[in-house]
Amino acid sequence: MNKSSNQPQNKVFMWGYQILLLTVVLFLLFNFLFRNEKIAYVDSAKILNEYKGTLEAKKAYEVKAKVWQSNMDTLTNDVKAAIQKYERSIATMSKTEQDLSRQLIQSKQKQLSDYQRGIQENAKQEDGKLTQAVVSQINAFLTNYGKTHNYKLILIANQLGTIAYARDGLDITAKVIEEINDEYVKGKK
């Protein structure tokens, strides 16, 4: 009688033991698989504005833009001077001299116009190259940063609102800016 009364208790005990064991295994498995699943985001506009590489690229672009503007100013002044010379001496010029002066002015205006168009295209291309270089540097840094700090995913937030909500502590922008600038300064030495 003792054996038969212990059998239901043993079955309940074994069944409870199996449930407990399964729960512990599932907990450990879940904990093992998801314990280091770090996800964060960075504010792309903030990084672009505060990254020292961006600031240097902007300075380099501004130097080129000043040269372009200086050349444009010179050409503009040449056109103005030719027009003023023409207007001052039109009364004393022959018909042939007037025609040649007008042609010279038109030639200088066309040269200025062509230069302006060329500069606009060149400026667009140069800006695109500099921007792409900076973005490539930032992307390479973020890839390395994610691997080094064991992130599963780093998202990019921008002004278009790609992240509607994020819990406090997920924005790593300030840390990224600090580290990317430190790395950039070390690379310059």
Side-chain angles (χ1 to χ4, degrees):
M1 191 142 142
N2 200 8
K3 268 190 176 181
S4 63
S5 65
N6 280 340
Q7 259 185 349
Q9 285 180 335
N10 282 342
K11 284 184 182 179
V12 170
F13 177 74
M14 287 300 285
W15 194 71
Y17 178 74
Q18 288 176 348
I19 290 176
L20 179 63
L21 185 61
L22 180 63
T23 304
V24 168
V25 168
L26 288 175
F27 174 76
L28 291 174
L29 182 63
F30 180 81
N31 193 27
F32 175 75
L33 290 177
F34 298 107
R35 69 183 151 154
N36 288 326
E37 301 299 323
K38 291 170 40 175
I39 296 175
Y41 74 94
V42 292
D43 183 332
S44 61
K46 207 174 204 182
I47 290 176
L48 278 172
N49 288 331
E50 296 181 28
Y51 173 45
K52 290 181 181 180
T54 303
L55 301 175
E56 277 197 26
K58 283 180 183 179
K59 285 179 187 174
Y61 180 82
E62 287 170 3
V63 167
K64 290 178 182 183
K66 284 180 183 177
V67 170
W68 298 328
Q69 187 60 50
S70 175
N71 291 342
M72 219 162 7
D73 291 345
T74 300
L75 290 173
T76 301
N77 289 336
D78 286 350
V79 170
K80 287 178 184 178
I83 291 171
Q84 289 171 350
K85 181 180 177 186
Y86 174 77
E87 289 173 348
R88 279 193 313 264
S89 41
I90 192 168
T92 60
M93 292 181 175
S94 68
K95 175 79 171 134
T96 306
E97 289 174 326
Q98 289 177 6
D99 289 342
L100 287 173
S101 290
R102 278 193 295 262
Q103 287 175 359
L104 178 64
I105 291 170
Q106 288 174 348
S107 173
K108 287 182 183 267
Q109 287 173 327
K110 183 178 178 343
Q111 187 181 13
L112 174 61
S113 177
D114 291 346
Y115 186 76
Q116 286 173 329
R117 257 187 267 110
I119 289 303
Q120 287 173 347
E121 183 61 34
N122 195 16
K124 248 197 266 185
Q125 289 175 356
E126 190 65 25
D127 185 49
K129 278 194 272 184
L130 291 173
T131 300
Q132 184 57 43
V134 167
V135 168
S136 293
Q137 291 169 5
I138 291 170
N139 286 341
F141 178 84
L142 286 173
T143 298
N144 188 44
Y145 186 91
K147 289 176 183 177
T148 302
H149 292 85
N150 201 28
Y151 281 96
K152 180 178 181 180
L153 183 66
I154 297 177
L155 302 168
I156 297 288
N158 60 33
Q159 294 81 7
L160 300 176
T162 53
I163 295 179
Y165 167 78
R167 187 180 71 215
D168 288 343
L170 293 179
D171 182 357
I172 59 170
T173 306
K175 293 178 206 168
V176 167
I177 290 170
E178 181 181 335
E179 285 192 32
I180 195 171
N181 284 333
D182 287 348
E183 186 177 291
Y184 184 80
V185 169
K186 287 177 188 172
K188 290 301 228 180
K189 291 181 181 178

